[in-house]
Amino acid sequence: MARMRLLNDLPAGATQFEGFCFVKSVSVRQNIKGTDYLDLVLADCDGEAVAKLWDYNRATHGEYNAGDVIKVRGSITLWKDAEQLKIERIRQSTPEDNVDMSRLLPCAPFDPAWLYEELFSLAGDFSDDDLRRLVQYLMRENREQLLYFPAAVKLHHATRGGLLHHCWTIVQLAKAVCATYPLLNTDLVYTGAILHDIGKLRELETGELGLASAYTPEGQLLGHINIGAAMVAETAELLGVPKHTAMLVEHMLLSHHGAPEFGSPRLPMFPEAEVLSELDLLDSRMYEMFSALEGVQPRGFSERQWALDNRQLYNHAHGLVKTGED
């Protein structure tokens, strides 16, 4: 079990801690005398720790659930040669605390609110008013979720704000591709880039922390590709977007995984759909590769990556891949 940043930041030899973390799991138990205590696993971006709040009183200490962001104060003890936290004070976080979520859990490298505004403004500049209305309506209606949703449970961009980060990166790639191939309809390419994973908002079981824990029943039975295409169709009908325009966007979503074995019921059948499929694959693989190479020593190989055809990746030492060294 990796050690929490809350503890790693303490001066050498210190045993008293105070700071923010989130509750990974919690239960009310009783000691041999029949007195209630809280048994918790606390976590932040670096690791986790077992913690106890003895003599727990719900009225005094409050109630807590998995996923709550809390502030704790206490001391580090040892139990059976393992580190354990003894909590002395505990409370829920408040907006006034202005908690830096990047210290608590994996986050996208850009502020999700900034990513949202970048994509929303890009859609606002579309020359095709139907595509503009479609994209901006779906973004506006789902803004709260978009600001924290990840793009996956475990794989690429499985971070707080990862869904917007993934879409934004594809847009950046698409700008260069569209400049190279001027026959592409840029509004259509950008629409696909922004909306291609919109169905994940209904596919992934995700709390406000921005970590997906499982798939929803809808996600299990339909998948984000079909869910997203249905969302586009429903919105287009609501807004009066022409059926042909809506059909093009639906096809891009249905074909963006490229092949039936990866979940797409159709192969891309026009250039903009092909571009979206290729860029989606490129971004997901680059994310997986850079993540796999973190901590790999120069001229060393990573562990086998099942998400990348079971390949071992090589750190050639000519780039800026992190090695874990200072």
Side-chain angles (χ1 to χ4, degrees):
M1 182 185 295
R3 203 167 189 248
M4 295 170 64
R5 176 177 287 194
L6 176 63
L7 307 181
N8 288 332
D9 287 347
L10 294 174
T15 60
Q16 299 294 309
F17 65 88
E18 180 175 356
F20 294 94
C21 55
F22 72 90
V23 179
K24 191 169 185 179
S25 66
V26 58
S27 59
V28 180
R29 301 183 183 274
Q30 290 186 330
N31 62 20
I32 58 175
K33 296 181 180 179
T35 303
D36 287 347
Y37 71 92
L38 278 188
D39 186 17
L40 309 101
V41 175
L42 305 180
D44 60 21
C45 64
D46 282 358
E48 57 189 56
V50 173
K52 300 288 191 291
L53 175 60
W54 304 108
D55 299 319
Y56 170 61
N57 181 289
R58 184 175 282 100
T60 302
H61 299 111
E63 296 186 48
Y64 301 92
N65 298 292
D68 288 347
V69 177
I70 61 172
K71 185 175 185 180
V72 289
R73 177 192 299 173
S75 56
I76 302 170
T77 61
L78 289 178
W79 172 253
K80 295 183 178 180
D81 297 323
E83 203 169 61
Q84 181 173 282
L85 306 185
K86 178 183 177 182
I87 297 175
E88 296 160 5
R89 296 190 64 178
I90 184 172
R91 68 169 174 83
Q92 297 279 3
S93 67
T94 67
E96 289 72 28
D97 291 323
N98 197 27
V99 177
D100 181 0
M101 296 301 290
S102 68
R103 293 181 62 85
L104 302 192
L105 63 160
C107 291
F110 302 101
D111 178 8
W114 179 81
L115 292 169
Y116 178 93
E117 290 303 324
E118 285 285 297
L119 297 177
F120 192 86
S121 296
L122 175 68
D125 291 334
F126 287 178
S127 58
D128 188 318
D129 192 56
D130 292 319
L131 292 178
R132 178 194 63 77
R133 291 188 298 120
L134 181 66
V135 172
Q136 290 194 323
Y137 181 90
L138 280 165
M139 290 192 68
R140 189 164 50 243
E141 289 297 301
N142 295 284
R143 184 180 187 277
E144 184 177 346
Q145 286 180 288
L146 286 170
L147 291 179
Y148 65 80
F149 243 72
V153 175
K154 291 182 178 179
L155 297 178
H156 72 91
H157 300 85
T159 59
R160 179 182 175 86
L163 180 56
L164 279 177
H165 179 213
H166 176 48
C167 295
W168 177 85
T169 305
I170 293 179
V171 165
Q172 306 317 303
L173 296 170
K175 288 178 179 178
V177 171
C178 289
T180 304
Y181 299 102
L183 292 180
L184 289 169
N185 183 301
T186 56
D187 290 353
L188 199 53
V189 174
Y190 298 154
T191 294
I194 295 170
L195 297 183
H196 77 287
D197 275 347
I198 195 73
K200 290 187 175 182
L201 299 180
R202 297 181 186 175
E203 179 187 47
L204 303 179
E205 195 72 60
T206 304
E208 292 188 12
L209 277 182
L211 297 178
S213 58
Y215 291 89
T216 64
E218 188 179 7
Q220 290 274 29
L221 294 173
L222 302 178
H224 76 276
I225 289 176
N226 295 306
I227 295 170
M231 291 172 70
V232 167
E234 293 165 4
T235 303
E237 184 174 1
L238 175 68
L239 300 179
V241 172
K243 288 186 178 182
H244 184 265
T245 300
M247 179 181 65
L248 296 179
V249 180
E250 290 169 55
H251 174 76
M252 293 179 75
L253 269 61
L254 289 170
S255 64
H256 82 266
H257 276 193
E261 57 265 35
F262 301 126
S264 279
R266 288 288 185 271
L267 292 171
M269 297 175 70
F270 51 83
E272 291 80 4
E274 180 71 18
V275 167
L276 174 63
S277 177
E278 294 294 336
L279 295 185
D280 180 49
L281 179 62
L282 175 62
D283 187 44
S284 64
R285 285 189 171 176
M286 288 299 99
Y287 189 97
E288 292 290 343
M289 284 187 162
F290 286 126
S291 296
L293 286 169
E294 286 188 4
V296 175
Q297 297 303 310
R299 300 189 180 184
F301 287 88
S302 73
E303 297 294 323
R304 292 192 178 277
Q305 305 297 309
W306 71 267
L308 295 168
D309 307 311
N310 213 31
R311 283 177 278 175
Q312 288 182 284
L313 303 181
Y314 181 58
N315 181 2
H316 52 65
H318 284 283
L320 297 176
V321 175
K322 297 178 182 177
T323 64
E325 298 180 332
D326 293 333

